[in-house]
Amino acid sequence: MAATSASGTNAVRYGTMRENVMNIEVVLADGNIINTAGKGKRPRKTAAGYNLTNLFVGSEGTLGIFTEITLRLYAIPETIIAAVCSFPSVEDAVRTAIQTLQTNIPIARVELLDDIAIKACNSYSKLTHAELPTLFMEFQGLACQVEQQLKAVREIAVQNGGNNFTSSDDVQERNRLWTARHNLFYAILALKTGCKAVVSDVCVPISKLPHIVNETQKDIRENGITGAILGHVGDGNFHAVMDFDPNDFEELNTIKGISDRLARRAWALDGTCTGEHGIGLGKIHLLEGEIGRTGVHVMRLIKEALDPYNLMNPGKVLHL
């Protein structure tokens, strides 16, 4: 997760890996070892020179090998309550998330699953949720605070057409819900026998999320692809998971086209072509379109300075 600056379901409250990595021990291409914040250091903040920690977080293994990572820790909350609510449309679900954040409710998790994702989740994890766009949510804190947050979000959800709003503080029930969410990739794979899947992610300003999700759903349907949308709606990041027959190269090329169009839609809405999965191999051709030719040139200079022989994860992120 540190290598791609990933985030996950808790990012809306606790941030991405960039906000939670305090120091990294890195083995460089020449064999030297550095500690990005100084050996043994773990300050809550620093202004000492360049931010080497955040240079390496998200570098996808192209600048060095991580051998030790110092992470920020958080207290375990007194009370944790999970909640689920379905909505008539993606717009209604996202509007609920936006209004929740605008009212400064410190929600810990808020995940969007479209109707196809919920169908897959129900089948794979033996759940019984309505097959509609749905929010999975979690509230954390003192018992009195959590109850107030839950009540406020329930009211917001109802105003936006939400129904079947259910909540539970039971540990087993809560774990069952989030296990189902984390198993969603396998659930979507199970929609099509013998398939593999391409997962593409983008991130846009939250207010733009309904538009791009609707356009992406339409693109997937019109091209006859089996796929679903799921996302960390609290920070505008979502994933399109698309199944394909590994022996059908035409279908795979169709999915690559959908993924490219998704990235360009995100750009048009002031977003990014990847919120947490990184550039890797599949999005190298998009990097210059996102940060510009000069930005890519600066990245190449950094890569060449730290790894002049291109030993570290060659072929990823940049063409050299």
Side-chain angles (χ1 to χ4, degrees):
M1 288 186 72
T4 60
S5 188
S7 47
T9 59
N10 287 293
V12 64
R13 180 159 179 175
Y14 299 104
T16 70
M17 290 302 291
R18 286 197 192 279
E19 291 78 49
N20 288 286
V21 174
M22 304 175 74
N23 200 350
I24 311 175
E25 182 181 84
V26 184
V27 180
L28 301 177
D30 63 3
N32 281 314
I33 299 173
I34 66 166
N35 295 90
T36 57
K39 189 170 181 61
K41 302 292 194 300
R42 49 187 179 91
R44 291 184 65 86
K45 63 180 183 180
T46 176
Y50 298 134
N51 191 335
L52 295 179
T53 302
N54 277 353
L55 172 63
F56 282 91
V57 172
S59 61
E60 301 186 41
T62 62
L63 301 180
I65 298 170
F66 300 175
T67 52
E68 183 178 295
I69 301 173
T70 303
L71 298 174
R72 189 181 301 279
L73 299 179
Y74 297 89
I76 297 174
E78 175 187 281
T79 302
I80 302 176
I81 295 179
V84 180
C85 186
S86 58
F87 295 85
S89 69
V90 167
E91 290 94 333
D92 296 319
V94 175
R95 193 182 306 114
T96 297
I98 292 171
Q99 291 174 359
T100 296
L101 297 173
Q102 287 175 337
T103 52
N104 288 324
I105 296 171
I107 193 166
R109 304 195 211 187
V110 52
E111 296 286 298
L112 171 69
L113 287 73
D114 74 356
D115 54 332
I116 304 299
I118 283 292
K119 178 181 179 181
C121 193
N122 283 343
S123 176
Y124 189 84
S125 297
K126 306 298 184 287
L127 302 179
T128 57
H129 299 300
E131 292 180 7
L132 294 167
T134 300
L135 292 181
F136 284 9
M137 296 167 280
E138 189 168 279
F139 304 85
Q140 302 176 0
L142 297 176
C144 58
Q145 295 172 334
V146 169
E147 289 295 340
Q148 290 175 345
Q149 295 165 18
L150 189 65
K151 179 182 177 182
V153 174
R154 187 193 302 271
E155 291 174 356
I156 292 170
V158 170
Q159 290 169 7
N160 288 304
N163 54 68
N164 299 322
F165 191 108
T166 59
S167 61
S168 175
D169 61 359
D170 179 76
V171 174
Q172 289 187 336
E173 184 61 28
R174 200 173 71 235
N175 289 343
R176 183 167 174 254
L177 176 70
W178 290 112
T179 298
R181 165 60 185 86
H182 290 304
N183 285 339
L184 198 48
F185 173 78
Y186 305 103
I188 295 168
L189 272 181
L191 290 174
K192 186 174 179 179
T193 304
C195 74
K196 293 187 176 181
V198 170
V199 184
S200 189
D201 90 300
V202 298
C203 188
V204 298
I206 302 172
S207 61
K208 307 292 186 182
L209 200 57
H211 174 74
I212 193 170
V213 169
N214 282 333
E215 289 296 307
T216 304
Q217 287 177 314
K218 181 180 177 184
D219 201 1
I220 291 172
R221 285 194 303 266
E222 289 181 349
N223 281 281
I225 299 298
T226 299
I229 302 291
L230 55 141
H232 314 309
V233 66
D235 53 18
N237 180 208
F238 78 93
H239 312 276
V241 184
M242 296 168 282
D243 292 345
F244 70 95
D245 181 340
N247 298 312
D248 189 338
F249 295 105
E250 183 177 345
E251 188 174 43
L252 179 58
N253 285 331
T254 298
I255 289 175
K256 288 180 178 179
I258 294 171
S259 182
D260 270 11
R261 289 190 293 276
L262 173 56
R264 296 177 197 282
R265 277 189 216 105
W267 289 344
L269 297 172
D270 302 325
T272 174
C273 67
T274 176
E276 62 171 342
H277 287 181
I279 292 295
L281 292 171
K283 292 188 175 180
I284 290 181
H285 65 292
L286 296 170
L287 186 58
E288 187 173 310
E290 174 137 342
I291 66 166
R293 183 172 298 177
T294 303
V296 172
H297 176 64
V298 170
M299 288 186 178
R300 286 200 181 100
L301 292 177
I302 294 169
K303 169 69 171 173
E304 289 166 359
L306 291 175
D307 183 17
Y309 298 107
N310 195 23
L311 301 175
M312 297 292 181
N313 221 359
K316 296 288 182 70
V317 184
L318 297 166
H319 287 307
L320 298 177

